[in-house]
Amino acid sequence: MTLLNHPRTRRRKLGVAVAAAGLLAALFTAVPASATPGPGDTPTTREQVSGSEAAAARAAIASGEIPGTDEVVHSDNIEHVANVPKEAFTGLNSDLAFQGTYAFAGNYDGFRVFDISDPKAPKTVAQVLCPGSQNDVSVSGDLLFLSTDSSRSDNSCASTTQPATEKSSWEGMKIFDISDKANPKYVAAVETACGSHTHSLVPERKNVYVYVSSYSPSATFPDCQPPHDGISVIKVPRKAPEKAAVVNFPVLFPGEGPDGGGNPGSPTNPGVSKTTGCHDITVLPSKDLAAGACMGDGILFSIEDPEHPKVIDRVQDNVNFAFWHSATFNQKADKVVFTDELGGGGAATCNEATGPDRGADGIYDIVGRGDHRKLVFRSYYKIPRHQADTENCVAHNGSLIPVKGKDLMVQAWYQGGVSVWDFTNSAKPKEIAYFERGPLSTDTLQVGGSWSAYYYNGYIYSNDIAKGFDVLKLSDPRTDAARRVHLRELNVQTQPDYFD
């Protein structure tokens, strides 16, 4: 690893330690469904690095350039108030959703429900074993939605892995009743083409529409055939979720040929992912807008008719973006932040060799009106701290911090930790706070770190892939006003109108 040529400005502080044994003894866990995670659900999490890279990591720790293994460091304006380690699940932790005083945390093995009425002492109230990566999770009223993007033997929580080349294999969306948070009940499933890598909700009074993002079709997959250049739209009646069904598959990248009209990727655009679907979509219902991060393309579209979303504009960055991963609007809907997941989340890209513009955020202004709106690039943002070559680090999931007149965001960077940054000036973004742990290892690249970091009702919640559920408190004059904003529910991919 090549270190920065100037000394770091970060000040170290040991985080609040939580004794795992005492914490686990205090937790109440609902009995999970009887199922055994099948092999292949969890990605490879260890990769040997070169001797020189390992030596560089150890030297960086010794010199204070990076934190020690598992050491917690943070800026002065962030406090680490709680950590709840994994319990029943050994898989990777994934996304988060919130409702009232509860947080719902996805894991490749299922999902976990936390009581966060006291953010400094979260308690587990349920763990539901239901393997099927990534198990991205969202909630709306009494319903919980869980994405399955690994080929399964059937749609039950007792399923096992099965090749996607078999017609009987199942992937898609699972629906649970969470009216009793301690005892979620599985009520429905909907199979979708190419599964459900992620999903986004467009909630209405009687129905919930679910936009399902998936990709990577193959002629050998009976249920995932190319071209796969759109998204599945599921309609879920709130009072009869068992009647949930796919009602449309809008084509977002029309074009001739077997692969549709998205970014062709390599070799036409070297190092860029070929667009064969979308990775993630963020909707802004109050503005009837959505932004899609679709592998090699970023799109802006209208959801005025939620069953028939319509593309308004489409952009590419064939110089610095490898994989368009996710999107976040600002509150005024005149900007959108797209993330580039260079290396797929499993690589060390927060180093000098990669540079500040790759594996970063791309900030775009939205200019014009109506169907004539355009996405106009303004700048990149990347955390200003290099990480070891044994740390997977790249831009990942984050949310707005609701302060009127400001565009502030908290964001996960895997083993790069959690970054709070300001993009009010979209041409000059800057970090204002951070939290991170040292590398999981100095000898192997192990996948870990913060998958999602979201602001909810006064606190930042982070789901760390390896270390569990973290709670952070941000105290800063620039962000303190956000504490006055309280939501009844938050799915970050369904952005609320914070000030309505």
Side-chain angles (χ1 to χ4, degrees), residues 77-93:
N77 52 359
I78 276 187
E79 179 184 358
H80 187 204
V81 300
N83 170 263
V84 185
K86 293 180 181 180
E87 285 185 85
F89 302 149
T90 59
L92 279 64
N93 284 331

Side-chain angles (χ1 to χ4, degrees), residues 182-237:
N183 295 285
K185 296 180 180 177
Y186 184 15
V187 296
V190 180
E191 186 171 16
T192 55
C194 301
S196 174
H197 192 70
T198 65
H199 67 270
S200 308
L201 306 185
V202 185
E204 295 187 336
R205 183 171 298 178
K206 294 183 178 180
N207 305 299
V208 180
Y209 288 96
V210 186
Y211 290 170
V212 175
S213 296
S214 55
Y215 52 93
S216 294
S218 170
T220 66
F221 299 162
D223 299 319
C224 183
Q225 293 282 301
H228 183 75
D229 48 12
I231 58 173
S232 296
V233 179
I234 299 174
K235 182 178 180 179
V236 185

Side-chain angles (χ1 to χ4, degrees), residues 16 18 23 27 80-87 93-98 101-107 112-124 435 437 449-454 456 459-472:
V16 178
V18 179
L23 180 60
L27 296 178
H80 187 204
V81 300
N83 170 263
V84 185
K86 293 180 181 180
E87 285 185 85
N93 284 331
S94 58
D95 212 1
L96 293 168
F98 304 89
T101 57
Y102 294 92
F104 304 82
N107 180 284
R112 189 174 182 182
V113 184
F114 291 99
D115 179 344
I116 55 171
S117 53
D118 180 359
K120 296 182 179 181
K123 296 179 173 62
T124 302
F435 165 90
R437 290 181 171 89
S450 180
W451 179 291
S452 298
Y454 299 147
Y456 178 69
Y459 289 84
I460 293 169
Y461 296 90
S462 167
N463 210 18
D464 188 289
I465 291 171
K467 296 298 181 180
F469 185 68
D470 288 308
V471 186
L472 310 174

